[in-house]
């Protein structure tokens, strides 16, 4: 099976009350861990690549790793550009074989966001590629750009119909309180997503797939392991999984997870090296790290996304 777009995945997810996991990939072990879990659970899958991932691993290496995963697993996999920052980056990924791109012009004024998104949509749709756009700003760090909580803003539901109809985008990322990275909420406060905003957006866009970025739940056992074996991540807090599950049962069709993969990998490698100070073969610590990613993704598929056995 060749790479697929997310069109059919989202239609089924919307009607079925579940979401597709969009996991960030940067190297072979991450691709393998994610796709092995999805294969065992017969889960449709989005693998996404950021600008930083392309700079780190190179477009062709990532493309070929994902193609290898398609051959090995036979899964329907959508290959997506995460946070495309310009028409040129999106064009490069469309021309280079991606089946989906995000144009993230959410930090620009409304009219400018519409203009650049529409330009990407025209180019993408002519080539059979789908486009995710964003309205509203998330707090946190992505591609080295830091947005403080004060500068973040929830999506304004009154803008979504005009934005979607004028751009022709295929899905919309909205800001309802999630944020990028491992420090999403202040310690001592109660993490709570704005389901009222999601509900209002969904009412105005019936049947339209909504995307949640910044949706790692920052498992505390992983944070504790990192802190126990030489790391220092006090106060790392994520989005409660029951809230993500609830969002997946509504109009949210794509849930982005990256930080949790990083935590799983880092916690495992820290533990391994601390317990085996004599070892230096990367395969020996990358093997359990890959297994930890697989276990984490399997957990997300079953307990958060609800997309197991949906192929
Ligand atoms: O939203 C950002 C993703 O976690 C990708 O992170 O830009 O460091 O690759 P990155
Ligand atoms: P997390 O940092 O919460 O994993 O979010 C990832 C993301 O939104 C990628 O676009
Ligand atoms: Zn994101």
């Amino acid at each position: 099976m060749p790479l697929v777009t997310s069109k059919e995945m989202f239609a089924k997810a919307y009607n079925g009350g579940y979401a597709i996991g969009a996991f960030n990939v940067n190297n072979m072990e991450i691709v393998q861990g994610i796709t092995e879990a999805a294969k065992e659970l017969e889960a449709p899958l989005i693998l996404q690549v950021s600008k930083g991932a392309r700079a780190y691993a190179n477009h062709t290496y990532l493309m070929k790793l994902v193609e290898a995963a398609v051959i090995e697993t036979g899964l329907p996999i959508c290959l997506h550009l995460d946070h495309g920052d310009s028409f040129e980056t999106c064009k490069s990924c469309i021309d280079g074989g991606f089946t989906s791109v995000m144009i993230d012009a959410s930090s620009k004024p409304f009219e400018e966001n519409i203009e650049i998104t529409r330009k990407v949509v025209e180019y993408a749709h002519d080539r059979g590629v789908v486009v995710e756009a964003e309205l509203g700003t998330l707090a946190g760090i992505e591609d080295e750009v830091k947005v403080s909580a004060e500068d973040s803003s929830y999506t304004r539901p009154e803008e979504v119909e005009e934005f979607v109809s004028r751009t022709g985008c295929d899905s919309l990322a909205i800001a309802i309180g999630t944020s990028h990275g491992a420090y999403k909420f202040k310690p001592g406060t109660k993490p709570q997503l704005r389901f009222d905003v999601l509900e209002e957006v969904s009412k105005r866009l019936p049947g339209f797939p909504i995307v949640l970025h910044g949706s790692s739940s920052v498992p505390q056992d992983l944070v504790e392991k990192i802190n126990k074996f030489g790391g220092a991540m006090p106060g790392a807090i994520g989005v409660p999984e029951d809230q993500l599950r609830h969002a997946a049962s509504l109009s949210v069709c794509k849930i982005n997870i990256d930080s949790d993969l990083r935590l799983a990998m880092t916690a495992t490698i820290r533990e391994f090296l601390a317990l085996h100070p004599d070892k230096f073969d990367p395969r020996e610590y990358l093997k359990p790290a890959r297994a930890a990613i697989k276990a984490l993704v399997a957990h997300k598929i079953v307990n958060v996304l609800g997309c197991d056995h949906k192929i």
Side-chain angles (χ1 to χ4, degrees), residues 78-288:
C78 169
L79 178 55
H80 174 76
L81 167 66
D82 191 26
H83 294 286
D85 60 341
S86 65
F87 174 78
E88 287 68 33
T89 306
C90 293
K91 179 179 183 301
S92 158
C93 288
I94 294 165
D95 295 345
F98 282 36
T99 49
S100 174
V101 293
M102 174 189 194
I103 174 68
D104 181 359
S106 58
S107 61
K108 306 239 183 329
F110 187 67
E111 281 300 326
E112 222 178 301
N113 190 352
I114 288 185
E115 197 180 318
I116 178 171
T117 301
R118 193 172 50 201
K119 188 173 170 193
V120 172
V121 168
E122 275 167 19
Y123 191 83
H125 283 185
D126 281 349
R127 290 155 184 83
V129 171
V130 293
V131 178
E132 173 186 326
E134 180 166 330
L135 258 187
T137 320
L138 273 68
I141 304 172
E142 76 206 31
D143 271 329
E144 290 158 22
V145 178
K146 191 172 190 312
V147 179
S148 70
E150 300 78 61
D151 291 337
S152 67
S153 60
Y154 297 116
T155 302
R156 292 154 55 90
E158 59 276 23
E159 291 182 343
V160 298
E161 290 148 294
E162 183 183 352
F163 184 85
V164 168
S165 69
R166 285 179 60 195
T167 60
C169 66
D170 302 278
S171 60
L172 184 67
I174 64 168
I176 60 167
T178 62
S179 64
H180 292 107
Y183 302 87
K184 299 184 190 296
F185 299 94
K186 283 207 178 78
T189 60
K190 189 175 172 293
Q192 181 59 57
L193 300 184
R194 288 286 302 271
F195 283 102
D196 56 325
V197 175
L198 175 60
E199 209 175 297
E200 197 51 46
V201 166
S202 315
K203 249 193 247 161
R204 290 165 188 263
L205 296 173
F208 194 79
I210 300 301
V211 177
L212 283 191
H213 282 248
S215 295
S216 280
S217 52
V218 187
Q220 289 304 298
D221 58 327
L222 296 179
V223 175
E224 277 159 27
K225 198 179 270 187
I226 286 173
N227 290 339
K228 178 174 171 191
F229 292 109
M233 298 188 68
I237 297 173
V239 184
E241 289 191 337
D242 58 335
Q243 293 186 33
L244 293 167
R245 182 70 203 99
H246 183 51
S249 75
L250 303 172
S251 58
V252 170
C253 295
K254 173 174 180 270
I255 290 187
N256 285 13
I257 297 168
D258 186 3
S259 295
D260 284 354
L261 303 175
R262 298 177 181 193
L263 291 169
M265 194 157 200
T266 300
T268 308
I269 293 172
R270 275 195 181 279
E271 179 182 40
F272 182 91
L273 292 177
L275 297 179
H276 306 279
D278 56 322
K279 304 276 193 194
F280 63 97
D281 180 343
R283 293 172 298 187
E284 289 189 277
Y285 56 80
L286 289 174
K287 196 173 171 182

